[in-house]
Amino acid sequence: MISLEHLDAIAVWAVDLTEEERERARRGIIERDYAKGSYICHRGDRLDYWTSVVTGLVKLGAVSAQGKSITLAGLGPTDWFGEGSMIKDEPRKYDLFALRDTRLAMMDRKTFNWLFQHSVGLNHYLVRQFNERLGQFIGKVEQDRSLGPAGRLARALLQLINPVGRPKKNGVVAISQEELGLLAGISRPAANKAIRDLETRGLIRTEPEGVRVLDHVALENFED
Protein backbone atom coordinates (compact mmCIF):
# COMPACT_ATOMS: atom_id res chain seq x y z
CA MET A 1 0.00 0.00 0.00
CA ILE A 2 1.03 3.64 -0.35
CA SER A 3 0.69 6.72 1.86
CA LEU A 4 -2.07 9.32 1.51
CA GLU A 5 0.56 11.91 0.60
CA HIS A 6 1.83 9.73 -2.23
CA LEU A 7 -1.74 9.08 -3.39
CA ASP A 8 -2.27 12.83 -3.74
CA ALA A 9 0.96 13.12 -5.74
CA ILE A 10 0.10 10.43 -8.30
CA ALA A 11 -3.70 10.78 -8.58
CA VAL A 12 -5.40 14.11 -9.26
CA TRP A 13 -8.78 12.41 -8.73
CA ALA A 14 -7.95 11.69 -5.06
CA VAL A 15 -8.87 15.25 -4.01
CA ASP A 16 -12.53 14.54 -4.86
CA LEU A 17 -12.76 11.42 -2.70
CA THR A 18 -14.15 11.20 0.82
CA GLU A 19 -11.81 10.26 3.65
CA GLU A 20 -13.07 6.66 3.63
CA GLU A 21 -12.62 6.45 -0.14
CA ARG A 22 -9.10 7.91 0.05
CA GLU A 23 -8.14 5.36 2.70
CA ARG A 24 -9.49 2.47 0.63
CA ALA A 25 -7.74 3.78 -2.49
CA ARG A 26 -4.30 4.06 -0.88
CA ARG A 27 -4.62 0.61 0.75
CA GLY A 28 -5.48 -0.94 -2.62
CA ILE A 29 -2.47 0.43 -4.53
CA ILE A 30 0.95 -1.18 -4.91
CA GLU A 31 3.86 -0.12 -7.11
CA ARG A 32 5.99 -2.17 -9.49
CA ASP A 33 9.07 -1.43 -11.58
CA TYR A 34 9.56 -2.34 -15.24
CA ALA A 35 12.86 -2.08 -17.10
CA LYS A 36 13.22 -0.15 -20.35
CA GLY A 37 12.24 -2.35 -23.28
CA SER A 38 10.05 -4.74 -21.29
CA TYR A 39 6.40 -5.61 -21.85
CA ILE A 40 4.02 -4.77 -19.02
CA CYS A 41 1.34 -6.90 -20.65
CA HIS A 42 0.58 -8.34 -24.07
CA ARG A 43 -2.66 -8.11 -26.00
CA GLY A 44 -4.97 -10.83 -24.69
CA ASP A 45 -3.41 -10.87 -21.20
CA ARG A 46 -5.40 -10.11 -18.09
CA LEU A 47 -4.06 -7.22 -16.04
CA ASP A 48 -6.37 -6.96 -13.05
CA TYR A 49 -5.21 -3.53 -11.96
CA TRP A 50 -6.23 0.03 -12.71
CA THR A 51 -2.84 1.43 -13.48
CA SER A 52 -0.91 4.71 -13.59
CA VAL A 53 2.59 5.77 -14.55
CA VAL A 54 4.50 7.08 -11.51
CA THR A 55 7.78 7.62 -13.36
CA GLY A 56 8.82 6.68 -16.87
CA LEU A 57 7.00 6.37 -20.19
CA VAL A 58 4.69 3.66 -21.55
CA LYS A 59 3.55 2.96 -25.10
CA LEU A 60 0.05 1.60 -25.55
CA GLY A 61 -0.10 -0.14 -28.92
CA ALA A 62 -0.72 -3.26 -30.94
CA VAL A 63 0.68 -5.28 -33.82
CA SER A 64 -1.49 -5.70 -36.91
CA ALA A 65 -2.11 -9.02 -38.68
CA GLN A 66 0.50 -7.89 -41.22
CA GLY A 67 3.08 -7.41 -38.46
CA LYS A 68 2.96 -3.60 -38.41
CA SER A 69 3.47 -1.97 -35.01
CA ILE A 70 0.73 0.57 -34.22
CA THR A 71 1.00 3.18 -31.47
CA LEU A 72 -2.35 4.02 -29.86
CA ALA A 73 -1.17 6.31 -27.06
CA GLY A 74 1.80 7.46 -25.04
CA LEU A 75 1.35 7.39 -21.26
CA GLY A 76 3.41 9.51 -18.87
CA PRO A 77 3.40 10.31 -15.15
CA THR A 78 -0.06 10.53 -13.49
CA ASP A 79 -1.76 8.98 -16.54
CA TRP A 80 -4.28 6.38 -15.29
CA PHE A 81 -5.39 3.76 -17.80
CA GLY A 82 -7.17 0.44 -18.16
CA GLU A 83 -10.46 1.48 -16.56
CA GLY A 84 -12.42 0.15 -19.57
CA SER A 85 -10.94 -3.34 -19.23
CA MET A 86 -11.57 -3.24 -15.48
CA ILE A 87 -15.22 -2.24 -15.86
CA LYS A 88 -15.85 -4.84 -18.60
CA ASP A 89 -13.76 -7.48 -16.78
CA GLU A 90 -11.95 -8.51 -19.95
CA PRO A 91 -8.38 -9.15 -21.19
CA ARG A 92 -6.43 -6.19 -22.56
CA LYS A 93 -6.89 -5.45 -26.25
CA TYR A 94 -3.50 -3.80 -26.58
CA ASP A 95 0.16 -4.19 -25.64
CA LEU A 96 1.78 -2.11 -22.90
CA PHE A 97 5.51 -1.50 -23.41
CA ALA A 98 7.98 0.42 -21.23
CA LEU A 99 9.87 2.91 -23.39
CA ARG A 100 12.16 3.75 -20.44
CA ASP A 101 12.64 2.46 -16.90
CA THR A 102 9.13 2.81 -15.49
CA ARG A 103 7.37 2.55 -12.15
CA LEU A 104 3.63 1.86 -12.14
CA ALA A 105 1.00 2.39 -9.45
CA MET A 106 -1.50 -0.47 -9.58
CA MET A 107 -4.92 -0.51 -7.90
CA ASP A 108 -6.36 -3.99 -7.42
CA ARG A 109 -9.70 -4.95 -8.94
CA LYS A 110 -11.54 -5.25 -5.60
CA THR A 111 -10.63 -1.69 -4.63
CA PHE A 112 -11.42 -0.29 -8.06
CA ASN A 113 -14.82 -1.99 -8.16
CA TRP A 114 -15.72 -0.70 -4.69
CA LEU A 115 -14.79 2.87 -5.64
CA PHE A 116 -16.61 2.55 -8.95
CA GLN A 117 -19.78 1.53 -7.11
CA HIS A 118 -19.56 4.04 -4.24
CA SER A 119 -17.48 7.09 -5.19
CA VAL A 120 -19.17 10.01 -6.95
CA GLY A 121 -15.81 11.78 -7.20
CA LEU A 122 -14.10 8.89 -8.96
CA ASN A 123 -17.00 8.44 -11.38
CA HIS A 124 -16.90 12.12 -12.33
CA TYR A 125 -13.21 11.67 -13.12
CA LEU A 126 -13.87 8.53 -15.17
CA VAL A 127 -16.52 10.28 -17.27
CA ARG A 128 -14.05 13.09 -18.06
CA GLN A 129 -11.38 10.49 -18.79
CA PHE A 130 -13.61 8.50 -21.17
CA ASN A 131 -14.66 11.67 -22.98
CA GLU A 132 -11.06 12.81 -23.37
CA ARG A 133 -9.87 9.41 -24.59
CA LEU A 134 -12.67 9.24 -27.14
CA GLY A 135 -11.60 12.60 -28.54
CA GLN A 136 -7.98 11.47 -28.63
CA PHE A 137 -8.72 8.29 -30.55
CA ILE A 138 -11.00 10.07 -33.03
CA GLY A 139 -8.12 12.47 -33.57
CA LYS A 140 -5.75 9.51 -33.94
CA VAL A 141 -7.83 8.11 -36.81
CA GLU A 142 -7.81 11.50 -38.51
CA GLN A 143 -4.08 11.85 -37.91
CA ASP A 144 -3.20 8.49 -39.44
CA ARG A 145 -5.28 9.27 -42.52
CA SER A 146 -4.37 12.86 -43.20
CA LEU A 147 -1.30 14.13 -41.34
CA GLY A 148 2.37 14.03 -42.24
CA PRO A 149 5.27 13.42 -39.82
CA ALA A 150 5.28 16.90 -38.24
CA GLY A 151 1.52 16.82 -37.64
CA ARG A 152 1.68 13.36 -36.11
CA LEU A 153 4.53 14.39 -33.84
CA ALA A 154 2.60 17.51 -32.79
CA ARG A 155 -0.37 15.34 -31.75
CA ALA A 156 1.92 12.99 -29.79
CA LEU A 157 3.31 15.98 -27.89
CA LEU A 158 -0.14 17.35 -27.15
CA GLN A 159 -1.28 14.04 -25.72
CA LEU A 160 1.58 14.10 -23.22
CA ILE A 161 0.58 17.54 -21.88
CA ASN A 162 -3.16 16.96 -21.89
CA PRO A 163 -4.46 18.49 -18.63
CA VAL A 164 -7.08 15.82 -17.90
CA GLY A 165 -5.73 13.59 -15.15
CA ARG A 166 -2.54 15.58 -14.69
CA PRO A 167 -1.37 18.34 -12.38
CA LYS A 168 -0.69 21.60 -14.20
CA LYS A 169 2.70 21.56 -15.94
CA ASN A 170 4.98 24.23 -17.30
CA GLY A 171 4.64 23.09 -20.91
CA VAL A 172 7.85 21.00 -20.93
CA VAL A 173 7.63 17.35 -21.99
CA ALA A 174 10.57 15.34 -20.64
CA ILE A 175 11.07 13.14 -23.69
CA SER A 176 13.76 12.30 -26.23
CA GLN A 177 13.43 12.66 -30.00
CA GLU A 178 13.66 8.87 -30.33
CA GLU A 179 10.77 8.37 -27.89
CA LEU A 180 8.68 10.99 -29.69
CA GLY A 181 9.26 9.20 -32.96
CA LEU A 182 8.09 5.91 -31.43
CA LEU A 183 4.91 7.51 -30.08
CA ALA A 184 4.20 9.30 -33.38
CA GLY A 185 4.90 6.16 -35.39
CA ILE A 186 7.70 7.73 -37.44
CA SER A 187 11.43 7.06 -37.78
CA ARG A 188 14.03 8.90 -35.72
CA PRO A 189 15.30 10.91 -38.75
CA ALA A 190 11.69 11.88 -39.59
CA ALA A 191 11.14 12.87 -35.95
CA ASN A 192 14.28 15.05 -35.99
CA LYS A 193 13.10 16.78 -39.17
CA ALA A 194 9.58 17.26 -37.77
CA ILE A 195 10.93 18.77 -34.55
CA ARG A 196 13.06 21.23 -36.54
CA ASP A 197 10.00 22.12 -38.63
CA LEU A 198 7.84 22.82 -35.56
CA GLU A 199 10.68 24.70 -33.90
CA THR A 200 11.18 26.92 -36.97
CA ARG A 201 7.50 27.80 -36.88
CA GLY A 202 7.82 28.89 -33.23
CA LEU A 203 5.50 26.18 -31.87
CA ILE A 204 8.02 24.33 -29.72
CA ARG A 205 11.56 24.69 -28.38
CA THR A 206 13.99 21.89 -27.59
CA GLU A 207 15.67 22.25 -24.20
CA PRO A 208 18.07 20.08 -22.17
CA GLU A 209 15.19 18.59 -20.17
CA GLY A 210 12.95 17.89 -23.18
CA VAL A 211 10.60 19.77 -25.49
CA ARG A 212 8.78 22.94 -24.45
CA VAL A 213 5.43 23.73 -26.07
CA LEU A 214 5.35 27.46 -26.88
CA ASP A 215 1.97 27.74 -28.60
CA HIS A 216 -0.52 25.10 -27.51
CA VAL A 217 -3.38 26.34 -29.72
CA ALA A 218 -1.25 26.62 -32.86
CA LEU A 219 0.26 23.19 -32.23
CA GLU A 220 -3.21 21.69 -31.81
CA ASN A 221 -4.34 23.18 -35.13
CA PHE A 222 -1.14 22.42 -37.01
CA GLU A 223 -1.47 20.38 -40.20
CA ASP A 224 1.52 19.70 -42.41
Side-chain angles (χ1 to χ4, degrees), residues 35-101:
K36 176 181 178 180
S38 63
Y39 276 92
I40 296 162
C41 79
H42 291 86
R43 182 177 182 177
D45 290 348
R46 292 195 68 91
L47 183 64
D48 286 334
Y49 295 93
W50 189 38
T51 311
S52 175
V53 178
V54 179
T55 59
L57 185 65
V58 172
K59 184 178 82 167
L60 187 154
V63 178
S64 71
Q66 293 73 33
K68 180 182 178 182
S69 178
I70 303 168
T71 298
L72 300 174
L75 303 163
T78 70
D79 279 335
W80 286 83
F81 56 93
E83 56 276 351
S85 297
M86 295 289 284
I87 292 170
K88 291 185 285 185
D89 192 16
E90 66 179 14
R92 298 301 166 105
K93 296 186 175 182
Y94 45 77
D95 299 319
L96 288 169
F97 182 80
L99 291 178
R100 62 175 76 146
D101 289 344

Side-chain angles (χ1 to χ4, degrees), residues 71-72 133-147 152 155:
T71 298
L72 300 174
R133 289 271 167 79
L134 178 60
Q136 289 175 356
F137 284 114
I138 290 174
K140 181 70 175 174
V141 172
E142 176 191 11
Q143 161 189 318
D144 289 342
R145 293 183 179 181
S146 63
L147 295 179
R152 295 170 71 174
R155 299 306 190 274

